[in-house]
Amino acid sequence: MSTSKNKVAKIKANINTWNELRNTNIALNFLTSGYGFAIEHEDYINWKKNSPDSIHCYFGVDEFELKFYVIDNVSDTNQSYELGVNLFEKEFTRSFNTAGVKTTKEFKPLAISCSDQICKSDAEQRILNWMLGSKNWFKDQVQKNKSGNGELLRLITVPFEDVETLFTNSDQTVFVMTALKKFDVYGYNLEFILTRELELSSTRTQDPSGTELFMDVSQPHPPFSIIDQGFNLL
C-alpha cells in the first residue's frame, strides 16, 4: 500500500473513531475543546478547480484530539484523495490566532457583520448559544439516541458558494466557527458559521465596500441524510 493510501486509511480510521465515540458522554468534551478551524486561500483555490457544489467537513479523533477532514464533494464522490491538495486535516483551534494566519503590522481582528445570510446579532447569539447551551443540547441528543429518534452528527456540509463568496476579491483566512442553530425540521443542532479575517488600520475602522461577510448555510449529517451523498470517507 502506498504512503498516500496509508494516510487516507488512517484518516478513515480517525473518522470511524469519532463514529464510535459520538453517542457517548466523552463526545461533548471533544466538541467543546475548541472554537473552530481555518480555511486558507490556497485550500479554496485547489477546491475551485473541481467546480464543487459543497465542502464536506468530517469529524475525526486522532490521539485524544478532535480533528476535521475537509474535502470538496467532487473529489469525495470520486474518491480522489490528495492530501494537502483537496483533502486537508484541520486542527480544532482554541484560538483564532492560528498558525496559518498571515501576520502583518496591522491589527487584524475577527469581525462579525451582516450579510444576506445572517446578521451580527444573530451570529453572536448562536455562537453564545453553543458556548452556554452545548451541555444541555448534548443531553437532549443522547436521549434522542436512546429512544431511537436521532444520533449525533458525523460531518457537516458547507455550500461551496459560501466559501467562494468569502474569498471573492480577498485572500484572507476564512474562519469556521461552531454555533448552535434551530433547524426547521430537526430542532437545535451544531452548525458551522463562516467569516473571514479582516484588516483594520488607523485610517479605516470599517470596510467601506460592505464586504464584511458572515455565512451560515451548513448542514449537520445526521440528522440530515448520509445516504447517497457521496460521503466516502465514512
Side-chain angles (χ1 to χ4, degrees):
M1 182 180 290
S2 68
T3 301
S4 179
K5 288 183 178 180
N6 277 327
K7 289 181 179 179
V8 172
K10 179 63 164 59
I11 287 172
K12 287 186 175 182
N14 291 346
I15 291 171
N16 188 59
T17 298
W18 168 252
N19 182 43
E20 294 173 348
L21 296 174
R22 64 194 170 105
N23 291 310
T24 68
N25 289 333
I26 196 174
L28 180 62
N29 294 333
F30 284 116
L31 291 174
T32 55
S33 63
Y35 300 105
F37 60 91
I39 295 176
E40 305 301 336
H41 186 256
E42 185 178 357
D43 305 346
Y44 157 70
I45 292 298
N46 288 348
W47 288 329
K48 186 177 181 179
K49 296 173 184 176
N50 296 323
S51 301
D53 295 320
S54 62
I55 300 301
H56 298 169
C57 306
Y58 293 89
F59 289 61
V61 175
D62 183 15
E63 297 184 354
F64 307 106
E65 295 288 340
L66 187 65
K67 299 287 181 69
F68 298 97
Y69 298 98
V70 192
I71 188 168
D72 67 274
N73 73 296
V74 174
S75 298
D76 199 5
T77 298
N78 295 334
Q79 299 187 59
S80 175
Y81 304 119
E82 296 182 76
L83 299 178
V85 177
N86 58 22
L87 174 58
F88 303 95
E89 181 183 77
K90 300 293 184 177
E91 302 284 341
F92 197 19
T93 181
R94 293 171 176 80
S95 168
F96 285 114
N97 294 319
T98 58
V101 176
K102 302 176 182 65
T103 57
T104 70
K105 294 181 180 179
E106 292 187 334
F107 173 61
K108 303 171 74 171
L110 183 66
I112 297 174
S113 58
C114 293
S115 75
D116 290 339
Q117 300 297 333
I118 187 173
C119 283
K120 178 179 180 179
S121 59
D122 290 336
E124 290 177 336
Q125 184 62 58
R126 277 150 56 172
I127 292 170
L128 186 61
N129 284 348
W130 173 249
M131 292 179 178
L132 300 180
S134 55
K135 185 175 182 179
N136 286 332
W137 167 81
F138 184 77
K139 288 181 180 178
D140 181 62
Q141 296 299 303
V142 170
Q143 289 302 315
K144 286 182 178 179
N145 180 53
K146 288 181 178 179
S147 63
N149 294 321
E151 54 182 325
L152 211 66
L153 78 172
R154 301 188 67 183
L155 76 153
I156 290 179
T157 56
V158 176
F160 185 72
E161 182 180 5
D162 285 4
V163 180
E164 189 163 45
T165 298
L166 289 165
F167 278 112
T168 297
N169 300 320
S170 173
D171 63 354
Q172 299 302 316
T173 297
V174 166
F175 293 101
V176 183
M177 296 177 289
T178 49
L180 195 61
K181 176 180 179 179
K182 188 174 184 180
F183 292 86
D184 291 339
V185 177
Y186 300 110
Y188 284 100
N189 216 306
L190 184 64
E191 68 165 336
F192 283 154
I193 294 179
L194 281 65
T195 193
R196 71 178 174 219
E197 182 188 34
L198 298 176
E199 293 189 41
L200 299 185
S201 69
S202 58
T203 59
R204 181 164 63 91
T205 58
Q206 185 173 354
D207 190 337
S209 65
T211 56
E212 299 177 14
L213 296 173
F214 203 85
M215 318 301 286
D216 80 319
V217 185
S218 65
Q219 289 186 346
H221 302 259
F224 288 89
S225 176
I226 61 172
I227 300 173
D228 300 324
Q229 299 292 318
F231 301 146
N232 289 315
L233 285 174
L234 294 180

